[in-house]
Amino acid sequence: MTTATERAALSDALGPLKDREQVAERLLEASAKHSFDPDTELDWGTPPIEGKYYWPPELLSLYDTPLWKKMGEEQRIELSRHEAAALGSLGVWFEIILMQLLVRHIYDKSLTSNHVRYALTEIADECRHSMMFARMIREHGAPEYPVSRAHHNLGRILKTVSTTPGSFACTLLGEEILDWMQRLTFPDERIQPLVRGVTRIHVIEEARHVRYAREELRRQMLTAPRWERELTRISCGEAARVFSLAFVNPAVYENIGLDRREAVAQVRASGHRREVMQTGAKRLTDFLDDIGVMRGVGRRLWKASGLLA
């Protein structure tokens, strides 16, 4: 026979699991109503429209730098084409890591639970997104832009050793900044229709993924042991540092006829670029601060990344 104390402890333990199942059920319902097949949803055969950008000018890495002011409109549009391809390549790299983190997360969990069903639904979404980004790059005639070998191998380590809260913290880092940029992109009539279509689909479906990751990370930061919470703070801060560097691929500048070192130096010195990245990260950093991730060494790493003022 259980005591009142034991029953209360059992209720406290089951509470987060019940909430997890309710969140997953709502996300599954939303997925059934608002999921897209990019292969049929988008008009892939339409050629690019002359004079339109591939990414909002204000979000381009060189915007408002001395180099930008010297560039003609045609070269600025070419920069946008290559930076859109670089961001698409970064997105595919990150989503492949994310899919592996999600598979690891559900490996020991009930296969009939809503939580696992939604994780599998999200994995299917991410598969489609990765193919969509890759096809967009190819359709626009741009090269793919893989991350550096060092970052590629750091990603390999992350997806192998990351704890559950660390995985969801890094998931949000990869999703929320790009999501902020894409929310500015898909309504922008200056942008190529295919890019607008791709970003619209991604924004709608990523809203569910962000909710799933936020709710799980909040639970984990309440229930994980102290060592795991501290490791999450450090690993998340280091991921922010790596991600902020990977956001700009220097090969872009060479491919449009600019001096690589000069362009990278101007991006690093750009107050506008710093403001863009910090604004894009603010909703995330506020959330991470609220749930106790932005502390100690982790917070210092976030500041070093340039994503936190």
Side-chain angles (χ1 to χ4, degrees):
M1 186 173 182
T2 59
T3 65
T5 301
E6 289 170 334
R7 288 196 297 273
L10 179 61
S11 177
D12 288 344
L14 291 176
L17 297 178
K18 182 179 179 181
D19 177 62
R20 172 193 276 169
E21 284 295 275
Q22 290 172 343
V23 169
E25 183 177 11
R26 289 193 292 270
L27 293 174
L28 284 165
E29 290 172 357
S31 296
K33 294 177 183 176
H34 303 293
S35 289
F36 303 92
D37 179 359
D39 285 340
T40 57
E41 186 76 21
L42 300 172
D43 189 357
W44 294 99
T46 301
I49 298 173
E50 186 176 351
K52 284 190 178 287
Y53 279 79
Y54 294 77
W55 203 247
E58 298 81 6
L59 300 183
L60 296 175
S61 60
L62 285 170
Y63 182 82
D64 203 32
T65 63
L67 267 176
W68 177 266
K69 293 168 184 175
K70 293 179 183 178
M71 294 164 66
E73 186 71 359
E74 185 176 342
Q75 192 176 29
R76 290 175 176 179
I77 290 174
E78 188 67 354
L79 172 66
S80 76
R81 184 170 73 94
H82 284 262
E83 284 211 358
L87 288 171
S89 300
L90 179 66
V92 173
W93 171 69
F94 184 78
E95 287 180 338
I96 289 172
I97 294 173
L98 170 58
M99 286 186 274
Q100 293 177 72
L101 292 175
L102 283 171
V103 169
R104 285 183 55 214
H105 170 61
I106 64 176
Y107 187 72
D108 294 317
K109 292 181 169 48
S110 169
L111 61 95
T112 59
S113 68
N114 288 333
H115 185 73
V116 168
R117 275 186 64 208
Y118 182 73
L120 292 170
T121 301
E122 180 171 340
I123 291 167
D125 288 346
E126 300 294 12
C127 281
R128 291 195 306 273
H129 294 171
S130 295
M131 292 186 289
M132 177 175 69
F133 287 152
R135 188 172 180 182
M136 180 190 72
I137 293 167
R138 188 179 63 191
E139 290 289 329
H140 285 154
E144 60 181 284
Y145 284 95
V147 298
S148 70
R149 177 55 55 182
H151 291 159
H152 184 81
N153 286 330
L154 282 171
R156 191 189 306 280
I157 294 169
L158 169 68
K159 66 186 178 59
T160 303
V161 305
S162 180
T163 63
T164 296
S167 296
F168 282 102
C170 292
T171 293
L172 290 169
L173 171 63
E175 289 181 338
E176 294 216 26
I177 298 174
L178 279 170
D179 181 71
W180 176 79
M181 289 187 169
Q182 290 174 338
R183 286 177 184 273
L184 296 176
T185 301
F186 80 79
D188 192 334
E189 295 185 358
R190 298 173 299 172
I191 309 304
Q192 296 287 348
L194 181 57
V195 176
R196 293 177 66 190
V198 165
T199 53
R200 173 180 170 272
I201 288 174
H202 199 248
V203 162
I204 292 171
E205 297 190 342
E206 283 298 308
R208 302 192 294 266
H209 304 174
V210 168
R211 171 75 187 282
Y212 182 74
R214 278 181 171 236
E215 293 294 334
E216 188 60 26
L217 180 58
R218 187 186 294 277
R219 278 188 290 269
Q220 292 290 331
M221 289 302 291
L222 288 172
T223 59
R226 181 176 178 180
W227 71 264
E228 194 168 14
R229 296 197 302 272
E230 188 56 35
L231 180 59
T232 298
R233 295 180 181 112
I234 295 171
S235 64
C236 185
E238 175 62 11
R241 187 191 66 81
V242 170
F243 192 74
S244 66
L245 292 173
F247 226 88
V248 172
N249 194 314
V252 164
Y253 308 128
E254 291 181 350
N255 287 341
I256 66 165
L258 297 176
D259 180 87
R260 177 186 183 127
R261 289 188 178 182
E262 182 182 7
V264 169
Q266 290 194 17
V267 170
R268 288 177 178 169
S270 171
H272 174 81
R273 181 64 176 178
R274 186 164 49 253
E275 183 180 355
V276 164
M277 296 302 291
Q278 289 178 359
T279 302
K282 189 174 189 312
R283 183 170 176 267
L284 172 60
T285 53
D286 285 350
F287 170 72
L288 294 178
D289 197 21
D290 181 56
I291 63 171
V293 174
M294 304 288 279
R295 296 179 185 173
V297 174
R299 189 177 191 89
R300 291 196 290 275
L301 285 168
W302 270 90
K303 283 184 172 290
S305 77
L307 297 175
L308 180 68

